[in-house]
């Protein structure tokens, strides 16, 4: 028995080295960690339980039968993160560039099935050259099997992808189906085809960084939800994200303890809105004054910045926050902002995370660029997502709520549970200037002094519409509140809504305007 134990320990030591010490050194030289070092950093200390360490590929062509490595390029298992269970896989670039073989895929599928059955999140640490070229259709099939399982798991358990190296081909489509993508500046890349193929097909000269680096995907494409400067920071923030999420769609997010003494009228909120209606202010300041410990975890921080989405806690409760940002494009809703908001709302709804919506929106962005690219179709996504959501939904209109954007931003009409307004709210079909120029066009044209006529009509319009009282009169606003009392109101209503039950009609699935 002693020999057998020695033999087992030896095999495990060999497996732990993956592609070998030289290749691990290469990883380090590129500023990257090894697959196992990443796991160690990521999970609660000493909690990782590995499975399938002895799996080897079954391929023969191109001399592969003589190149077998225990584990076949991916480490899989389960662990605790913030004291709660999670499943994970970590691709090992030192083994055939982390490429996906038939057996590598089988390992990922096995751990995903365990995550699905146990109802726990799955986190993929990706560092892969895509389908293992030598295995042909077997590796393509392996990817397709993963895509199918990613799709079936969508909305059942949270799926998080952490991109920690060059990921190409199939290695990007699996993350694309998951809920959140993390990337690292200057060492992680995502593209369907790399710069060489791009050059051959389109004759474009483009670097790795420009084509599919972290900045590109965080700012331009919106593919990456979070980017950080190094792997350690990235992995710590994946842990942070998980702290806001439940384990699965039947679970609820964990409340953390909250000191009731921390709720007090916060007069800083009373003076945040500028006196001039068109003057911008930073909505993130409002959010930070509302969330516990000023701790707001923003998603898509650098993409479509005219809308803000992210997680925070109020009174210890985990919430998804959606807010217009008057500081960027006046907080207007355009295509990218609508899609960003819609995806976040649907994630929160799928995983029982209540929604807080802070509104200051002048409407949808006009213009040919937006119309020809489908603002109707894309704007409808945000509308659809809010309409469909059955989680607790609370809105605070901070300033402008104009036109269709008033309806879209979780109005009472689309099942907002509590809709509040600050006294600074302006709820109208459009802004005063545009409205006056349309409805008083003839009077202004006939007037001997059009400037004064416009001024008078503006005053009349503002008095009549640029306030929250008409909406409150009709019950579309439940209360007009003092900004300083917002946090205590929110704590009370979100507590009340903890037992909320709402349902959509029975159907196979909805047909969101994609
Ligand atoms: C087999 C691969 C591989 C692959 C890399 N390697 N990619 N082996 N299949 N797909 C191996 C290399 O041969 C090398 O082996 C080692 O991994 C490291 O690769 P390098 O090229 O030396 O590293 P680097 O310079 O950092 O470049 C990394 C890379 C590049 C950008 C990922 O290797 C690359 O472009 N690979 C191919 C990417 C790709 O086109 N994949 C197929 C996508 S199609 P040695 O032994 O020398 O260390 C696909 C289909 C799915 O995935 C479709 C779904 C829709």
């Amino acid at each position: 028995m002693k020999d057998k134990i020695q033999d087992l320990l030896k095999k495990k030591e060999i497996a732990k080295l993956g592609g070998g010490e030289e290749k691990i050194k290469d990883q380090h030289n590129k500023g990257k960690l090894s697959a196992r070092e990443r796991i160690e950093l990521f999970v609660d200390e000493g909690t990782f339980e590995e499975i399938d360490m002895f799996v080897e590929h079954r391929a023969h062509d191109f001399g592969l039968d003589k190149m077998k490595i225990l584990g076949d390029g991916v480490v899989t298992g389960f662990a605790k993160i913030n004291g709660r269970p999670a499943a994970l896989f970590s691709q090992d670039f030192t083994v055939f560039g982390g490429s996906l073989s038939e057996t590598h895929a089988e390992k990922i599928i096995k751990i995903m099935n365990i995550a699905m059955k146990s109802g726990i999140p799955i986190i993929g640490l990706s560092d892969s050259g895509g389908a293992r070229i030598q295995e042909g259709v077997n590796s393509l099939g392996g990817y397709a099997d993963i895509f199918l399982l990613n799709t079936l798991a969508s909305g059942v358990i949270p799926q998080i992808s952490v991109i920690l190296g060059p990921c190409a081909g199939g290695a990007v489509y699996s993350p694309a189906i998951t809920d959140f993508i993390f990337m690292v500046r200057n060492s992680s890349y995502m593209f369907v085809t790399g710069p060489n193929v791009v050059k051959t097909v389109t004759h474009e000269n483009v670097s790795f960084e420009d084509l599919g680096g972290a900045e590109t995907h965080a700012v331009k494409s919106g593919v990456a939800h979070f980017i950080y400067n190094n792997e350690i920071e990235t992995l710590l923030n994946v842990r942070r994200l998980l702290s806001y999420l439940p384990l699965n769609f039947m679970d609820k997010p964990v409340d953390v303890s909250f000191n009731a003494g921390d709720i007090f009228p916060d007069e800083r909120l009373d003076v945040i809105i500028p006196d001039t209606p068109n003057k911008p202010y930073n909505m993130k300041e409002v959010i930070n004054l509302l969330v516990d410990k000023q701790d707001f975890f923003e998603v898509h921080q650098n993409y479509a910045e005219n809308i803000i989405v992210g997680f925070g806690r109020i009174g210890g409760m985990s919430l998804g926050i959606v807010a217009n940002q008057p500081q960027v494009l006046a907080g207007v809703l355009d295509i990218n902002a609508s899609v960003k908001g819609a995806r976040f709302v649907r994630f929160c709804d799928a995983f029982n995370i209540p929604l807080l919506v802070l509104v200051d929106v002048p409407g949808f962005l006009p213009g040919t660029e937006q119309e020809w690219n489908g603002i109707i179709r894309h704007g409808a996504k945000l509308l659809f997502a809010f309409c469909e959501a059955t989680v607790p939904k609370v809105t605070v209109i901070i300033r402008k709520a104009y036109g269709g954007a008033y309806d879209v931003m979780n109005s009472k009409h689309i099942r907002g549970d509590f809709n509040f307004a600050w006294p600074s709210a302006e709820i109208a079909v459009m802004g005063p200037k545009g409205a006056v120029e349309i409805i008083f066009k003839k009077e202004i044209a006939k007037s001997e002094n059009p400037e004064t006529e416009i001024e008078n009509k503006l005053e009349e319009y503002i008095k009549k519409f640029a306030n929250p009282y008409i909406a409150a009169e009709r019950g579309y606003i439940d209360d007009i509140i003092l900004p300083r009392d917002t946090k205590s109101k929110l704590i009370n209503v979100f507590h009340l809504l903890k037992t909320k039950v709402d349902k959509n009609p029975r159907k196979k699935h909805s047909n969101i305007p994609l």
Side-chain angles (χ1 to χ4, degrees):
M1 188 62 183
K2 208 171 156 197
D3 292 349
K4 287 185 178 167
I5 288 176
Q6 282 310 322
D7 191 37
L8 171 65
L9 291 174
K10 203 167 145 203
K11 276 204 165 87
K12 288 200 171 197
E13 279 314 305
I14 292 170
K16 282 182 183 165
L17 280 179
E21 272 163 4
E22 273 306 302
K23 294 217 158 150
I24 293 176
K25 228 185 256 169
D26 286 349
Q27 278 281 98
H28 290 163
N29 290 340
K30 288 181 200 160
K32 293 161 66 183
L33 297 168
S34 74
R36 283 170 200 280
E37 286 165 344
R38 287 167 178 161
I39 293 175
E40 239 170 74
L41 260 165
F42 177 49
V43 305
D44 295 354
E45 202 179 338
T47 62
F48 181 60
E49 300 281 358
E50 183 169 351
I51 59 168
D52 281 344
M53 193 186 230
F54 301 106
V55 166
E56 291 181 340
H57 70 70
R58 295 187 281 263
H60 299 282
D61 296 332
F62 304 103
L64 279 190
D65 48 346
K66 293 183 198 71
M67 296 163 68
K68 296 202 173 196
I69 294 176
L70 288 175
D72 201 27
V74 62
V75 183
T76 58
F78 56 94
K80 291 263 172 75
I81 294 165
N82 309 317
R84 297 189 302 154
L88 60 142
F89 64 87
S90 177
Q91 290 180 310
D92 185 349
F93 194 80
T94 69
V95 180
F96 303 109
S99 60
L100 185 125
S101 67
E102 183 187 17
T103 43
H104 180 129
E106 282 170 4
K107 284 183 67 171
I108 293 177
I109 286 160
K110 188 196 267 188
I111 195 66
M112 284 182 72
N113 275 321
I114 289 172
M116 283 273 270
K117 282 186 195 156
S118 320
I120 57 173
I122 175 100
I123 298 99
L125 310 183
S126 299
D127 192 355
S128 167
R132 190 169 301 164
I133 297 163
Q134 299 92 323
E135 290 207 15
V137 71
N138 288 344
S139 55
L140 293 182
Y143 261 130
D145 292 341
I146 294 173
F147 301 153
L148 174 66
L149 204 48
N150 281 139
T151 307
L152 298 181
S154 182
V156 179
I157 49 172
Q159 301 182 81
I160 298 170
S161 299
V162 192
I163 311 298
L164 299 167
C167 288
V172 299
Y173 274 115
S174 167
I177 306 174
T178 64
D179 298 305
F180 293 104
I181 295 182
F182 287 72
M183 290 185 79
V184 188
R185 286 192 181 91
N186 303 317
S187 68
S188 78
Y189 306 95
M190 294 178 79
F191 29 69
V192 173
T193 52
N196 291 341
V197 178
V198 170
K199 183 156 196 224
T200 313
V201 178
T202 69
H203 308 293
E204 287 168 288
N205 271 316
V206 62
S207 65
F208 267 61
E209 204 58 51
D210 285 348
L211 184 65
E215 291 288 342
T216 294
H217 286 309
V219 179
K220 287 191 181 150
S221 72
V223 166
H225 299 87
F226 302 94
I227 58 167
Y228 296 98
N229 288 331
N230 57 58
E231 294 195 6
I232 298 171
E233 208 187 322
T234 304
L235 292 168
L236 291 177
N237 277 290
V238 181
R239 290 175 60 93
R240 187 172 171 207
L241 171 63
L242 284 164
S243 73
Y244 294 103
L245 313 186
L247 296 179
N248 59 62
F249 81 106
M250 291 188 295
D251 190 24
K252 293 209 163 171
V254 180
D255 286 353
V256 302
S257 59
F258 172 73
N259 183 358
D262 288 347
I263 316 168
F264 48 85
D266 194 335
E267 276 147 28
R268 287 172 296 180
L269 289 165
D270 290 353
V271 293
I272 242 170
I273 307 294
D275 289 334
T276 326
N278 287 333
K279 205 164 166 203
Y281 60 93
N282 188 357
M283 183 65 92
K284 285 185 200 170
E285 283 178 26
V286 177
I287 297 173
N288 281 328
L289 290 176
L290 291 176
V291 295
D292 299 349
K293 297 178 185 158
Q294 303 219 352
D295 189 13
F296 177 55
F297 189 45
E298 192 172 354
V299 179
H300 263 150
Q301 191 173 6
N302 309 104
Y303 181 73
E305 293 176 51
N306 38 333
I307 200 164
I308 303 166
V309 301
F311 299 98
R313 292 183 183 276
I314 293 191
M317 293 172 279
S318 172
L319 302 180
I321 299 169
V322 181
N324 310 111
Q325 171 57 294
Q327 214 172 46
V328 180
L329 293 171
V332 77
L333 288 176
D334 60 1
I335 291 172
N336 291 349
S338 302
V339 175
K340 168 177 162 179
R343 183 152 173 82
F344 182 74
V345 168
R346 295 193 98 220
F347 175 81
C348 291
D349 188 45
F351 289 104
N352 310 316
I353 301 169
L355 287 163
L356 167 63
V357 183
L358 304 175
V359 183
D360 188 346
V361 61
F364 281 99
L365 182 61
T368 50
E369 200 259 341
Q370 289 287 307
E371 293 288 356
W372 294 346
N373 285 302
I375 182 67
I376 297 174
R377 186 160 50 90
H378 296 294
K381 288 176 183 160
L382 185 59
L383 178 55
F384 195 104
F386 272 126
C387 287
E388 191 187 37
T390 55
V391 282
K393 301 191 288 188
V394 178
T395 298
V396 184
I397 300 180
I398 305 287
R399 191 169 64 175
K400 294 173 194 161
Y402 289 161
Y406 156 73
D407 285 340
V408 171
M409 293 299 291
N410 194 42
S411 61
K412 180 60 86 191
H413 320 272
I414 61 171
R415 296 197 282 184
D417 293 301
F418 286 97
N419 293 67
F420 299 120
W422 283 7
S424 45
E426 303 171 20
I427 305 170
V429 173
M430 61 173 74
K433 193 154 186 299
V436 162
E437 280 168 8
I438 292 172
I439 55 180
F440 300 114
K441 192 172 160 185
K442 285 190 189 125
E443 285 94 323
I444 294 166
K446 271 193 241 150
S447 166
E448 284 182 4
N449 192 342
E451 292 299 314
T452 324
E453 185 69 20
I454 290 175
E455 281 304 311
N456 292 340
K457 294 296 182 198
L458 268 177
E459 208 181 304
E460 188 184 332
Y461 185 91
I462 289 167
K463 217 166 158 195
K464 178 90 183 136
F465 287 125
N467 64 65
Y469 293 99
I470 298 171
E473 200 177 292
R474 281 166 178 64
Y476 302 151
I477 292 295
D478 298 298
D479 197 6
I480 302 167
I481 60 175
L482 295 176
R484 72 185 84 147
D485 295 335
T486 307
K487 181 157 181 163
S488 61
K489 288 267 176 199
L490 291 175
I491 292 176
N492 290 342
V493 294
F494 277 116
H495 260 297
L496 183 81
L497 290 167
K498 269 185 176 289
T499 44
K500 173 187 174 183
V501 179
D502 199 356
K503 280 198 170 72
N504 291 324
R506 206 174 92 80
K507 62 183 88 172
K508 188 172 176 198
H509 62 69
S510 59
N511 186 16
I512 188 163
L514 292 175

